[in-house]
Amino acid sequence: MRRKLAAGNWKMNGLGANLAEIGKLTKLHRTPVCDIMIAPPATIITSALVEAGDHALAIGGQDCHAATSGAHTGDISAEMLRDAGAGYVILGHSERRADHGETDEVVRAKTEAAHAAGLVAVVCVGETLHHRQTNSTLHVVGTQLAESLPNGVSGANTVVAYEPVWAIGTGEVATLDQIAEVHDFIRAELKTRFGDEADAIRVLYGGSVKPTNAAEIFAVSNVDGALVGGASLKAEDFSGIIAALETA
Ligand code: PGA
C-alpha cells in the first residue's frame, strides 16, 4: 500500500510571522496516518523545521538547480535544500515551467540532482486549457512524464503530481472523471516504464483542492493525496484536507 501524502506548496507566500501555521498544524495532527509535507519559501525552511519540532511533518523546497554548486547567482542546489533539512523538493511546477521556461529536460536534470542529494522529488505534470480543449491531455501528460522522469525513479525517491494548469489557483477543479482518467493513465505509463516499482510511486492531484472537495477527489482511483497551494497556507484549511485524506 502506498502511504498517502498531503503536500502543501506555499509558493511565494510566507514570512516568519506565518510559521505559526506550521505549529498549529502539528498540534491539529499529532500522530498523522498519512505523510504531510509543506514547501515554504526557501528563506524559512530552517525556521519551519524548528517550528515543526519533533513532529513527523516534512519540509520541502519548491525548486532546485540541476548543478550541485557553482556560479549560478540566486539559485539553490538540491544539496543545499538537504543541508537545510528539507526532505522533499517540488520540481517542474507549471509556474516554473511558465515563468522560467523550464523544459522537461531541465526538470529531468533537476530530478536527478534531487535524487543524488537524497531528496524526494515531487515532479509536476499537467495540461493547459488549450491542451484539454484540443484533446491532447494524455499526449501532453505522457510526454512530460516520459521526459521529466529520469531512470532510477522509485516510490522512495519520487512522487508524481498531476496538476491541470487551468485548475491551479482558479477555483476550477477537474471533474472526478477527468482526474480518474489521467491518474489511471499515469499509473499505466509508470508501470510500462518502471515495472512493479510503479505500484510504490504516489500520484497526487493538484488544482484548487479544498477541505470541501478533498474527500471526493481522494475517493478516485490512483489518487494518493494532493498537492495543495492556496488551501495549505492556513492550518485549519490544510487540516481539513489532511483529515479527508486520513479517512479516504
Ligand atoms: P492551488 O495550487 O491549490 O492554489 O490551486 C496548487 C498548486 O499549484 O500546487
Side-chain angles (χ1 to χ4, degrees), residues 9 11 90 93-95 124 163 167-171 206-210 227-232:
N9 173 11
K11 309 191 178 184
I90 299 169
H93 189 281
S94 60
E95 287 152 16
C124 304
E163 299 202 305
I168 295 177
T170 57
S208 299
V209 178
K210 308 274 180 253
L227 181 55
V228 184
S232 71

Side-chain angles (χ1 to χ4, degrees), residues 23-231:
K24 271 192 225 166
L25 196 66
T26 59
K27 287 181 188 66
L28 287 167
H29 299 273
R30 285 186 196 277
T31 49
V33 297
C34 64
D35 289 341
I36 305 173
M37 186 275 277
I38 289 189
T43 45
I44 55 170
I45 283 179
T46 306
S47 26
L49 281 158
V50 172
E51 185 74 30
D54 58 9
H55 194 276
L57 179 137
I59 297 296
Q62 299 175 10
D63 174 52
C64 70
H65 197 278
T68 314
S69 61
H72 302 286
T73 303
D75 280 313
I76 296 173
S77 72
E79 195 177 33
M80 289 168 181
L81 290 175
R82 187 78 196 122
D83 184 54
Y88 288 76
V89 61
I90 299 169
L91 294 172
H93 189 281
S94 60
E95 287 152 16
R96 300 278 327 165
R97 290 178 186 264
D99 293 358
H100 299 271
E102 289 191 7
T103 60
D104 291 329
E105 193 182 3
V106 167
V107 177
R108 185 174 66 240
K110 290 182 173 196
T111 305
E112 284 171 339
H115 291 169
L119 295 173
V120 179
V122 180
V123 178
C124 304
V125 296
E127 82 286 2
T128 62
L129 189 58
H130 174 73
H131 294 140
R132 168 92 22 213
Q133 287 169 340
T134 52
N135 287 325
S136 42
T137 296
L138 297 186
H139 174 72
V140 167
V141 170
T143 304
Q144 288 176 336
L145 265 187
E147 296 182 4
S148 300
L149 295 182
N151 294 329
V153 157
S154 71
N157 68 20
T158 305
V159 173
V160 173
Y162 167 58
E163 299 202 305
V165 179
W166 49 272
I168 295 177
T170 57
E172 198 164 332
V173 192
T175 67
L176 301 181
D177 283 349
Q178 288 170 333
I179 297 173
E181 183 190 29
V182 180
H183 278 248
D184 289 350
F185 170 76
I186 290 173
R187 179 76 54 209
E189 293 287 290
L190 293 173
K191 271 199 186 225
T192 302
R193 176 146 173 220
F194 300 109
D196 288 346
E197 186 60 27
D199 290 327
I201 301 170
R202 295 174 288 186
V203 182
L204 311 183
Y205 170 78
S208 299
V209 178
K210 308 274 180 253
T212 47
N213 61 22
E216 59 183 24
I217 293 170
F218 295 148
V220 175
S221 72
N222 284 310
V223 174
D224 304 309
L227 181 55
V228 184

